[in-house]
Amino acid sequence: MTRTLSQIWQQLQQSFSVQASLNTTADTGKAILAATQSIDQQNISLEVIKPVLENSSSLLDVLCLPLAEIVGKELSYVSLGVNLLKLYADITQESPALEDFVLIVSQAAYLQSIRDILALYPSINWDTHLDNLEEFKTKLQIINDIEFDKETAKNTISCFHESELAAAFNQILSARLVTPNITKFLVNLLTKRIAFNTHRYIINSLIDVGDHIPALITNSCVNLQQEQQIITGIDEYLKEHIATQPLAKVFDQSYSWKDIYIPLTVQPCGQKVNALDNALDVETWAKGVILNQQKLEQVMLIESQPGRGKSVFCQMFADWVRQHLHPLWTPILIRLKDIDAVSSAFSLEKTLQAELKVSCHQTNETKENLLYNKNTRFIFILDSFDDLHIDIDLEEFIQQVAAFQKKCKNQVEMGHRLLITGRINILQYIPNLPHNLERVEILEMDIKLQEKWLNKWALLPENNGRKIDLADFLSSKKCPSTIKKLAFEPLYLHLLALMYRDETFAFNELEQANKKTAKVVILQEFFNWLIAKQQLTLDDSEVNNQEHQNYQSYLQNLLTETAVAVVQSGGVFGSMSMIKSRLQEPQIDIPATLNQFYFIPAQKQEDNIECYQKTFSEFLFAEKLTKSLQYWSRFNLDDQEQIQEMNWQIYDLLGFGKITPEIVEYVIGLLTQVPDLYWINLFKVLENFYNNWCQGKFIDTPEETLAQTKLRQLQQYSENDRIENLGQRQIDIYAGLNVMILLLEIQRYAQEHDVLKEYIIFYPSGETQGDNLTSDLQRLINYCNCLRGDSFKSIVGQFFSATHLRATYLFQTDLSGTDLSQADLSRAELSRSYLLQTNLSHAYLIGAKLIQADLRGANLSGANLIRTDLRGADLSNANLQDADLSRVDLSGANLRGANLSGAYLIGANFGDELFGYIRWDKNTNWEDVDGLEAAKNLPPTLKQHLKMG
């Protein structure tokens, strides 16, 4: 049977022998407020209830009072509604109908939710337009005509925020809240939060009346205990794991992240750095995407350089969501490093479901899938996709992320959002990224943000009376420009501030720092500072001074070997057993000692440690590698014992996976600090290893291989998916490619020094003889592409700029996204090769063959393409600005959308009988091209378009 709210209210009045009052002088709603303030939850009296029924037409009449009275006090509207129904049952000796219960309790629950949410905004004056209350009272009457039946009641219990009641209540509340000082956008957001929050009080009310009116429980058709368990579990998770994130202590200091955090700016990935016209602070950007109904399909993807605060942002933003969006959206913060594969085939949806089960304290008996519960919508904040240590291809992971977000948009019971962070450039080798990624990059600080951070830093209580004028030093002439620039990076600014405050920084070292060594100097000084803090309890005798030195040397070795264990286990966790196996000295309390250096127990990985800041473990690994390189630089190529020792040490240090660009940067910076380093000899011994490796001498042997020895070591002491899925070939490939990277970087350094550049020249494919082509590199690439999840280009592609690849055979080779800027590819065979989005700016491609090559979106600006064969090549959307295309053959090439502005085209051929004319469109840019009139076989349509005679 369908009834209206006014009919149900009249039925209540009749049951209590109450008639509506004709006294129009009494302010409507005051009786409700008075009853709520005086109610005894255990024993409500008829005297309290009668004035409510006499003077009101619904519980929502209380909204006619100033909201400050409703929000500013500890009032339980839910208790009023529940006890009203209990008293009704006692008087009538019968259970209220389910629709009667829902109509009364939903009002009380909605009022309770209003109090919850509006109380979070104490600075807002909700009562600036009380003169409009009479108009509001008229609008309030519309709810009296809402029709209700049993089925509608069940739907309201099941999902209040999607119910007709919620729509009506929200409309009324919006009319009450909208004032000149409160935007419609905020009102809309608040009403949605209030409607979502109402569900918890309806469930609690049903459970509360269960013993007194059991028929309501029977008719509700909802698993009340399970729903309450979900609500309680989420509350506990937010309290224990989200609200505490901003309060976590920074390093070993007494202040928290909240005390020093400032949001940095972001701009869309791919834009020119410092194009600040499009920059927003990262929090504003994220909020804008989440709250934009047109972007429900978009995955929020935040990338940045190391040390710019991705993880801190995740922690702070998760708490902001808790405070300002929950329960409309509930934040779930997941460190991707903590995810273990739930099966051999990774499934993002199953993983998120498993994380929710743990986070929300669901028992094994709870079969509810929270991903499909209409009353729960989550913002999953997935921190650091580069820290994934499960055995899954990154491209597959990103595809799953994109597919999940599309599903959330299309299925009404989901509605979740995904925000992911990771290091910049990690995704550049994925050729077909999903279109629903909203990608931004965190920029370095500008001077205003740096000043804001330093001001917050100066105000910290622990800095009172200490040296905090870092800003003065950074602006002084004695501070090198490289350090001034580096101080715009949050991590390094923080480390500088700590050491400057404690007056432990060796500024003479700092003044000598250059672009390559600036980060190295700061990190070296930071760890020297930490080590100096760790003192043995001994007297000051000369003997004990020596013991102090030995102890500090031991600590240094402990740190570097720990870093090796972390980096070789995937860069995330390090096995304690592996660390101990690498130490030869007597062992101390290793976990406690490492904790002093921010290597802390892993949250979900038993017997493992993790590094508090990934930059630290990468730097310490680089220190270990640098010491080995310095050691090898003194080896004699004729001394086979030394060379065999080096070969094993290379596999031991580098045969685990790809070294990161950050590690390479630190290694070169550390090497440049070594006085009188034998650069040329170091290059020779590494090149000797590389050449032997290319010939398969380390893997094609009947004896136990170095790769096998390393593999057994890793599998014995480290347990994770990546290690378990390594084989001898993978170990061998990583060792060789990492040496290739070092050779490329040493050559790059040598080219900046006249003494070294003629002696240090690296040919990855070997030197060519006469007019022959060398195919060693292609064979190497094919060998390396057997790796799962990695490929040749994803490992070494970003290190290939200015590489010597003259006359290299690379037919049908995939080099998409590779950095080949300034590379020498003259006479190279690149026909049918894949060069999508490849950086070939200022490269030398003189006489190269690129027949039917895929160069879509490639950057060929300033490239030398004299006599290059580009017949049938796809150059759509390629950048050929200022390129030298003299005598190039472009027959049949696709130039749609290509930028040829300023290109030199004298003698170029635009068509032949086999491939036909070039293809172009209105988006092809011919502005300021030179020599076009002297080109061959110009299409007549192009002549007409360019108004050529």
Side-chain angles (χ1 to χ4, degrees):
M1 182 178 68
T2 301
R3 291 180 294 158
T4 64
L5 185 148
S6 61
Q7 290 173 332
I8 292 175
W9 194 260
Q10 289 169 10
Q11 179 183 333
L12 283 173
Q13 291 174 327
Q14 293 169 6
S15 300
F16 283 88
S17 302
V18 171
Q19 292 185 346
S21 174
L22 299 177
N23 182 7
T24 57
T25 60
D27 288 334
T28 183
K30 281 190 174 181
I32 299 170
L33 190 64
T36 306
Q37 291 173 327
S38 61
I39 192 170
D40 180 351
Q41 296 185 25
Q42 302 302 320
N43 185 23
I44 189 170
S45 65
L46 190 61
E47 289 73 21
V48 173
I49 286 297
K50 277 190 174 183
V52 172
L53 298 174
E54 286 174 351
N55 295 294
S56 304
S57 58
S58 73
L59 295 182
L60 294 186
D61 284 356
V62 76
L63 293 175
C64 294
L65 297 176
L67 289 178
E69 297 183 29
I70 301 170
V71 175
K73 301 173 183 176
E74 290 289 340
L75 302 173
S76 178
Y77 300 99
V78 171
S79 293
L80 174 61
V82 167
N83 284 283
L84 170 59
L85 290 166
K86 286 180 178 179
L87 191 57
Y88 169 84
D90 289 341
I91 291 174
T92 62
Q93 293 298 301
E94 62 181 26
S95 297
L98 186 65
E99 52 268 39
D100 297 352
F101 170 85
V102 172
L103 266 176
I104 300 302
V105 166
S106 62
Q107 294 178 67
Y110 192 79
L111 286 172
Q112 195 69 46
S113 189
I114 289 174
R115 190 201 166 279
D116 282 357
I117 302 302
L118 297 191
L120 299 174
Y121 300 85
S123 61
I124 295 181
N125 181 2
W126 306 103
D127 299 314
T128 55
H129 270 224
L130 290 178
D131 52 338
N132 291 335
L133 284 182
E134 289 302 320
E135 180 183 347
F136 171 72
K137 292 175 185 176
T138 303
K139 293 180 179 179
L140 186 60
Q141 299 308 309
I142 65 172
I143 66 170
N144 292 329
D145 298 324
I146 295 176
E147 294 185 341
F148 223 61
D149 58 19
K150 188 172 184 179
E151 191 62 30
T152 308
K154 289 181 178 179
N155 292 336
T156 303
I157 294 172
S158 174
C159 184
F160 174 80
H161 69 87
E162 289 186 355
S163 67
E164 294 178 16
L165 275 186
F169 290 1
N170 284 352
Q171 183 180 355
I172 291 167
L173 182 60
S174 296
R176 178 67 179 83
L177 291 179
V178 171
T179 62
N181 68 318
I182 305 172
T183 65
K184 290 183 178 180
F185 178 83
L186 177 59
V187 168
N188 183 50
L189 179 62
L190 290 175
T191 54
K192 287 181 178 179
R193 288 185 73 189
I194 288 166
F196 263 83
N197 197 50
T198 300
H199 175 72
R200 68 168 56 229
Y201 291 115
I202 292 177
I203 296 300
N204 290 345
S205 298
L206 273 167
I207 292 174
D208 193 13
V209 300
D211 293 336
H212 197 82
I213 316 174
L216 291 175
I217 299 294
T218 304
N219 294 329
S220 68
C221 296
V222 174
N223 188 329
L224 299 177
Q225 297 300 328
Q226 181 171 289
E227 285 295 311
Q228 189 177 59
Q229 181 188 0
I230 291 170
I231 294 167
T232 302
I234 289 175
D235 287 346
E236 291 178 7
Y237 170 77
L238 294 177
K239 179 181 178 181
E240 296 171 7
H241 297 284
I242 299 299
T244 57
Q245 294 288 336
L247 305 178
K249 300 304 179 185
V250 182
F251 300 141
D252 58 348
Q253 305 298 304
S254 59
Y255 52 85
S256 67
W257 288 113
K258 183 178 181 181
D259 297 324
I260 61 171
Y261 173 73
I262 57 168
L264 299 188
T265 54
V266 295
Q267 67 182 18
C269 284
Q271 287 195 359
K272 186 178 179 181
V273 177
N274 295 329
L276 296 178
D277 291 342
N278 298 318
L280 292 170
D281 81 66
V282 62
E283 288 188 356
T284 300
W285 169 81
K287 296 169 190 175
V289 177
I290 289 171
L291 299 173
N292 188 338
Q293 291 296 304
Q294 305 304 313
K295 293 188 175 185
L296 297 179
E297 191 175 296
Q298 298 301 105
V299 176
M300 293 165 281
L301 181 55
I302 301 174
E303 302 173 59
S304 84
Q305 300 288 352
R308 287 191 180 169
K310 299 183 300 296
S311 296
V312 176
F313 161 75
C314 289
Q315 296 165 15
M316 301 298 293
F317 189 68
D319 191 53
W320 182 89
V321 173
R322 175 189 69 85
Q323 295 182 66
H324 298 279
L325 294 182
H326 175 71
L328 177 58
W329 275 298
T330 299
I332 302 293
L333 178 58
I334 301 173
R335 303 190 315 166
L336 289 176
K337 67 172 72 174
D338 292 329
I339 287 183
D340 290 316
V342 294
S343 66
S344 57
F346 174 81
S347 165
L348 177 67
E349 186 167 325
K350 288 182 179 178
T351 298
L352 295 179
Q353 184 179 341
E355 289 289 324
L356 286 174
K357 198 171 184 68
V358 173
S359 299
C360 301
H361 307 293
Q362 290 182 282
T363 63
N364 291 331
E365 291 74 28
T366 306
K367 297 182 180 180
E368 175 78 8
N369 185 343
L370 295 188
L371 292 177
Y372 295 89
N373 185 322
K374 288 184 179 181
N375 293 298
T376 55
R377 293 201 307 187
F378 299 103
I379 293 179
F380 294 103
I381 302 173
L382 309 179
D383 186 22
S384 295
F385 57 73
D386 48 295
D387 281 346
L388 277 167
H389 65 100
I390 55 177
D391 188 32
I392 180 176
D393 182 82
L394 183 56
E395 180 176 3
E396 180 188 343
F397 176 77
I398 294 297
Q399 293 292 347
Q400 286 195 30
V401 164
F404 179 81
Q405 189 62 72
K406 288 180 181 179
K407 186 176 181 180
C408 288
K409 178 195 175 185
N410 296 328
Q411 294 197 18
V412 66
E413 67 270 23
M414 296 182 76
H416 313 297
R417 301 303 303 268
L418 289 173
L419 186 153
I420 309 182
T421 72
R423 286 190 174 183
I424 197 76
N425 296 329
I426 299 291
L427 303 180
Q428 72 180 40
Y429 299 104
I430 298 177
N432 298 307
L433 284 173
H435 296 296
N436 62 324
L437 301 181
E438 187 98 357
R439 297 175 65 190
V440 294
E441 174 187 357
I442 299 179
L443 303 177
E444 66 180 15
M445 289 177 167
D446 59 22
I447 191 67
K448 291 182 179 179
L449 287 176
Q450 185 190 70
E451 181 180 350
K452 184 177 179 180
W453 189 92
L454 288 170
N455 287 338
K456 290 191 78 170
W457 164 260
L459 293 174
L460 294 174
E462 48 269 78
N463 291 342
N464 187 31
R466 302 168 80 175
K467 192 174 181 181
I468 55 173
D469 58 334
L470 178 61
D472 294 338
F473 171 74
L474 293 174
S475 61
S476 67
K477 292 182 178 180
K478 68 178 183 179
C479 181
S481 59
T482 52
I483 299 301
K484 290 181 180 180
K485 179 170 177 56
L486 198 56
F488 289 117
E489 298 287 351
L491 173 63
Y492 293 98
L493 177 62
H494 194 179
L495 299 184
L496 279 170
L498 281 170
M499 293 182 287
Y500 185 83
R501 180 196 67 187
D502 291 358
E503 301 185 70
T504 58
F505 204 100
F507 286 101
N508 58 324
E509 296 286 339
L510 187 63
E511 291 168 9
Q512 298 171 14
N514 56 40
K515 185 177 180 180
K516 285 186 172 63
T517 62
K519 292 181 180 179
V520 165
V521 169
I522 293 175
L523 290 170
Q524 278 180 320
E525 289 296 316
F526 178 65
F527 279 101
N528 289 340
W529 175 54
L530 291 179
I531 290 173
K533 288 183 177 183
Q534 315 303 316
Q535 297 290 342
L536 287 171
T537 308
L538 301 169
D539 57 42
D540 293 329
S541 68
E542 291 185 8
V543 174
N544 288 334
N545 283 337
Q546 183 61 50
E547 291 187 34
H548 278 297
Q549 293 178 16
N550 292 341
Y551 180 61
Q552 291 186 352
S553 177
Y554 171 74
L555 290 177
Q556 181 66 50
N557 186 51
L558 171 63
L559 292 178
T560 56
E561 295 299 347
T562 299
V564 169
V566 171
V567 171
Q568 292 195 349
S569 298
V572 179
F573 303 112
S575 161
M576 286 302 304
S577 58
M578 185 174 178
I579 294 169
K580 292 175 182 178
S581 73
R582 300 188 66 89
L583 295 171
Q584 297 177 353
E585 297 91 340
Q587 296 169 359
I588 57 175
D589 186 349
I590 294 177
T593 304
L594 288 175
N595 197 60
Q596 304 300 313
F597 297 94
Y598 315 121
F599 287 95
I600 57 180
Q603 292 184 10
K604 297 184 179 181
Q605 303 287 330
E606 188 177 352
D607 195 42
N608 280 354
I609 56 95
E610 63 178 277
C611 193
Y612 184 85
Q613 169 57 250
K614 193 174 180 180
T615 294
F616 296 164
S617 57
E618 290 177 325
F619 171 73
L620 291 167
F621 177 87
E623 279 200 320
K624 172 72 174 180
L625 179 55
T626 301
K627 289 177 182 177
S628 296
L629 289 167
Q630 185 180 358
Y631 180 50
W632 302 335
S633 72
R634 298 177 178 272
F635 280 12
N636 186 341
L637 277 174
D638 296 327
D639 189 333
Q640 287 305 305
E641 185 176 340
Q642 286 186 336
I643 295 304
Q644 288 176 10
E645 179 186 359
M646 183 189 74
N647 292 341
W648 159 244
Q649 290 175 350
I650 285 175
Y651 275 90
D652 181 41
L653 275 177
L654 299 174
F656 65 92
K658 57 185 176 183
I659 53 176
T660 65
E662 291 72 34
I663 290 175
V664 175
E665 180 185 5
Y666 298 142
V667 166
I668 298 301
L670 288 163
L671 284 175
T672 59
Q673 288 187 312
V674 178
D676 302 322
L677 180 70
Y678 298 120
W679 285 96
I680 297 172
N681 198 60
L682 175 60
F683 175 77
K684 287 181 178 179
V685 295
L686 289 177
E687 186 183 40
N688 178 71
F689 174 90
Y690 176 78
N691 290 334
N692 288 331
W693 173 73
C694 287
Q695 296 170 32
K697 290 185 177 180
F698 301 117
I699 198 73
D700 296 332
T701 173
E703 304 162 355
E704 178 169 318
T705 65
L706 297 175
Q708 188 176 40
T709 303
K710 181 61 183 177
L711 177 62
R712 287 175 175 170
Q713 179 201 83
L714 287 173
Q715 292 184 339
Q716 180 180 359
Y717 295 114
S718 185
E719 295 180 4
N720 63 50
D721 288 340
R722 285 186 174 179
I723 297 295
E724 290 176 2
N725 286 284
L726 284 176
Q728 288 191 62
R729 286 178 305 162
Q730 286 81 7
I731 298 289
D732 184 59
I733 288 169
Y734 284 126
L737 291 187
N738 286 332
V739 168
M740 177 194 278
I741 291 170
L742 293 174
L743 285 166
L744 288 166
E745 291 303 304
I746 289 172
Q747 174 190 251
R748 203 180 321 282
Y749 172 79
Q751 296 309 301
E752 300 173 2
H753 297 80
D754 293 336
V755 177
L756 299 175
K757 65 181 181 181
E758 62 180 287
Y759 297 102
I760 297 180
I761 303 174
F762 177 49
Y763 298 94
S765 194
E767 288 192 70
T768 57
Q769 302 296 325
D771 294 333
N772 296 327
L773 298 179
T774 172
S775 58
D776 290 354
L777 184 60
Q778 188 184 56
R779 287 197 297 269
L780 176 60
I781 291 172
N782 292 336
Y783 172 50
C784 295
N785 284 345
C786 72
L787 291 174
R788 180 183 175 186
D790 279 327
S791 63
F792 177 86
K793 65 179 182 180
S794 68
I795 297 172
V796 300
Q798 59 191 305
F799 301 101
F800 251 52
S801 63
T803 303
H804 296 279
L805 294 170
R806 178 183 290 267
T808 302
Y809 184 84
L810 293 165
F811 179 81
Q812 213 168 1
T813 302
D814 186 0
L815 294 169
S816 302
T818 303
D819 184 1
L820 289 165
S821 59
Q822 302 181 58
D824 185 357
L825 287 154
S826 300
R827 294 199 304 112
E829 172 56 88
L830 288 156
S831 296
R832 296 189 181 180
S833 57
Y834 299 93
L835 295 158
L836 290 79
Q837 305 291 331
T838 299
N839 184 1
L840 287 155
S841 62
H842 300 283
Y844 296 90
L845 289 151
I846 302 168
K849 288 185 178 181
L850 288 132
I851 301 170
Q852 295 182 319
D854 191 342
L855 288 148
R856 285 175 291 166
N859 181 5
L860 288 146
S861 60
N864 190 330
L865 293 150
I866 297 173
R867 300 191 310 278
T868 302
D869 191 344
L870 283 162
R871 288 176 295 168
D874 190 345
L875 288 154
S876 54
N877 299 310
N879 182 6
L880 290 151
Q881 185 176 13
D882 298 323
D884 190 343
L885 295 162
S886 304
R887 290 176 285 171
V888 70
D889 195 340
L890 287 164
S891 301
N894 182 359
L895 291 168
R896 294 186 179 100
N899 179 12
L900 288 136
S901 62
Y904 190 60
L905 289 160
I906 191 166
N909 183 24
F910 283 78
D912 63 15
E913 292 182 359
L914 180 61
F915 287 93
Y917 286 127
I918 63 164
R919 288 165 287 164
W920 58 281
D921 61 11
K922 63 180 181 180
N923 295 317
T924 306
N925 187 352
W926 301 97
E927 186 178 353
D928 297 325
V929 293
D930 190 8
L932 194 60
E933 66 283 351
K936 302 174 184 177
N937 302 319
L938 280 173
T941 53
L942 179 59
K943 285 184 178 182
Q944 184 179 357
H945 174 73
L946 297 176
K947 298 179 181 179
M948 297 174 64

